[in-house]
Amino acid sequence: MQRRTSDAPTPNLNDLGKGVPLSSVPASWPLYIVEFKAGRTDLFYLTDLTLDNRVGDLVIVEADRGKDLGTVVNDTITLKEVEVFEREQRERVAYGDGGPLSPGGQQGGGGSKKEINPKMIYGKAQPHDTQCVRFCVAPCVGS
């Protein structure tokens, strides 16, 4: 499959860490579920269509306070599947069937509705990124 570089707009610095509304994610952007420490998962998108991320790859992603390192656990999720998941999540909350799940299936806390706002994958982690996570006390991914 031939991929080409996306013409995605450059994100505004004030919006980094917030993700984008699911409704504004173009169908051409691949979606991924990435897992972090303690089994937390979140949904991410990729605008650079020349990158080839697969399950098991370590990636650098947009985080609430900068960048984070995670592992791709799903590289085939579709926008339609996420929309169905979001609808089911709203129904679960409406019927009081426990807290919402993350896109990766983890049980969340509380019963409040949580919008799914995918964040960006910057690229594959480089060796110095993984060494930093192992040996640094303070976060230094991407520095």
Side-chain angles (χ1 to χ4, degrees):
M1 167 170 66
Q2 182 77 12
R3 290 187 170 178
R4 59 182 173 77
T5 303
S6 171
D7 56 353
T10 304
N12 181 339
L13 290 178
N14 294 329
D15 295 333
L16 288 177
K18 298 177 184 175
V20 297
L22 191 59
S23 60
S24 68
V25 174
S28 63
W29 290 0
L31 296 173
Y32 301 85
I33 296 176
V34 175
E35 183 176 55
F36 302 95
K37 296 184 264 191
R40 181 178 59 86
T41 59
D42 213 342
L43 185 69
F44 292 86
Y45 63 87
L46 188 62
T47 60
D48 183 352
L49 303 180
T50 62
L51 296 177
D52 187 31
N53 293 323
R54 298 286 175 212
V55 170
D57 287 347
L58 291 173
V59 290
I60 301 298
V61 299
E62 174 184 358
D64 293 337
R65 291 179 222 119
K67 296 179 180 180
D68 203 353
L69 175 73
T71 304
V72 175
V73 294
N74 185 326
D75 60 3
T76 60
I77 193 163
T78 65
L79 186 57
K80 183 174 176 85
E81 289 171 329
V82 175
E83 289 168 343
V84 167
F85 169 81
E86 187 175 42
R87 185 175 60 249
E88 289 172 353
Q89 176 179 289
R90 282 193 301 267
E91 291 170 1
R92 284 175 50 89
V93 171
Y95 291 119
D97 186 22
L101 298 172
S102 75
Q106 299 285 341
Q107 184 75 26
S112 62
K113 177 185 167 200
K114 183 177 185 292
E115 296 282 327
I116 297 174
N117 291 317
K119 296 176 185 172
M120 183 170 37
I121 293 178
Y122 293 113
K124 289 188 181 181
Q126 300 301 312
H128 69 274
D129 296 322
T130 57
Q131 287 176 349
C132 190
V133 170
R134 286 189 197 144
F135 301 113
C136 295
V137 176
C140 55
V141 171
S143 34

